[in-house]
Amino acid sequence: MKALILNSGMGSRMGEETRNHPKCMTRLDGEDTILSRQLRQLYRAGIRDVVMTTGYCSNVLMEYTDRIAGSMNVTYVENKKYESTNYIFSIYLAESCLKEDILLLHGDLVFEDSVLRKLLETKESCMAVDQAAELPEKDFKAVISDGRIVKVGVEFFEHAAAAQPFYKILRNDWLVWLNEIKEFCQQGRVACYAEAALNAVSDRCVITPLDIKGGLCGEIDTLEDRQKIVSILSAEA
């Protein structure tokens, strides 16, 4: 299994914090950053191969990752059009590296070990959701029907659960989604979320909801998000 970490975005909502580096290099506490924490957790879980998409401050990110990755094998895929495309295009560029089971996550995602463990232990393709959490206004929701996810997006509220961009996708399901990503990008549909392609093939790409039941799993989009998550981490230390 490979981990696919999406790090091509600009993180503009973080203001000065991301002026000189991508959002994944935002510090959490001490010397730890979002990325260093992610890589350490993946390594402890037995994942050694990482495909990382880059874009904004690509060289800074690659130099930093090379310093902290240790014995992990990291393959970089640069999206030079990061300002005008979404991560669907970054995945498209990385397509040749992604032909097996995939752990897919955004580079600004902070999660606890138990969430990662549950994802990896689930036998089916799955996505992290929190069915007891309040539905966010602007973030991802997953529409669930008959025990499977049929739609993912920010616009869905009916029959939906709060969701995070943290997936374990088995090869057969992943190739269905990846082929649709290729179709979207070849048609010039590169400014949407990759989940738009997933929604088009959700009848053939079977992804189940993994209820994390209040476990820590959230993106850092703003400085307020960072402070909230740092407080949670400090309380658990």
Side-chain angles (χ1 to χ4, degrees), residues 137-166:
E137 185 67 29
K138 298 180 180 179
D139 294 327
F140 275 162
K141 278 81 67 178
V143 179
I144 302 169
S145 178
D146 295 327
R148 59 188 289 182
I149 292 174
V150 295
K151 298 287 183 184
V152 177
V154 299
E155 70 270 35
F156 304 115
F157 288 88
E158 294 294 323
H159 309 293
Q164 295 295 338
F166 201 11

Side-chain angles (χ1 to χ4, degrees), residues 18-215:
T18 53
R19 184 178 63 174
N20 298 315
H21 59 71
K23 185 164 49 169
C24 65
M25 291 174 60
T26 297
R27 293 206 176 277
L28 297 174
D29 52 17
E31 294 300 312
D32 228 356
T33 63
I34 302 173
L35 180 59
S36 67
R37 177 184 166 90
Q38 287 180 344
L39 292 180
R40 186 171 65 252
Q41 291 174 289
L42 293 174
Y43 186 86
R44 286 200 305 249
I47 295 176
R48 300 292 183 266
D49 293 319
V50 174
V51 176
M52 184 181 299
T53 67
T54 72
Y56 176 67
C57 291
S58 181
N59 289 335
V60 173
L61 175 57
M62 289 189 292
E63 290 173 5
Y64 173 71
T65 305
D66 286 343
R67 290 200 307 271
I68 67 171
S71 61
M72 298 183 83
N73 177 36
V74 182
T75 300
Y76 302 104
V77 178
E78 184 179 5
N79 177 3
K80 295 182 179 181
K81 299 180 179 180
Y82 65 88
E83 292 187 82
S84 60
T85 64
N86 210 321
Y87 57 84
I88 187 171
F89 189 65
S90 298
I91 297 174
Y92 171 68
L93 295 175
E95 179 261 341
S96 63
C97 307
L98 304 171
K99 300 296 186 180
E100 56 198 270
D101 297 350
I102 293 293
L103 187 75
L104 170 60
L105 62 151
H106 288 199
D108 60 357
L109 192 70
V110 178
F111 50 89
E112 60 186 59
D113 289 341
S114 63
V115 172
L116 173 59
R117 184 176 64 252
K118 289 175 183 177
L119 230 71
L120 294 176
E121 289 176 351
T122 301
K123 294 181 179 180
E124 305 86 11
S125 299
C126 57
M127 179 187 192
V129 305
D130 193 338
Q131 297 190 346
E134 182 179 352
L135 292 180
E137 185 67 29
K138 298 180 180 179
D139 294 327
F140 275 162
K141 278 81 67 178
V143 179
I144 302 169
S145 178
D146 295 327
R148 59 188 289 182
I149 292 174
V150 295
K151 298 287 183 184
V152 177
V154 299
E155 70 270 35
F156 304 115
F157 288 88
E158 294 294 323
H159 309 293
Q164 295 295 338
F166 201 11
Y167 303 83
K168 185 191 80 172
I169 313 290
L170 300 180
R171 180 178 184 273
N172 287 344
D173 293 317
W174 172 243
L175 291 181
V176 172
W177 186 2
L178 186 58
N179 284 336
E180 191 65 15
I181 286 173
K182 290 169 61 178
E183 288 289 327
F184 267 57
C185 291
Q186 288 168 0
Q187 295 168 10
R189 301 168 68 182
V190 295
C192 60
Y193 295 125
E195 282 74 10
L198 172 62
N199 295 341
V201 293
S202 62
D203 59 330
R204 293 182 286 121
C205 180
V206 180
I207 299 179
T208 59
L210 174 67
D211 190 356
I212 63 173
K213 299 180 179 179

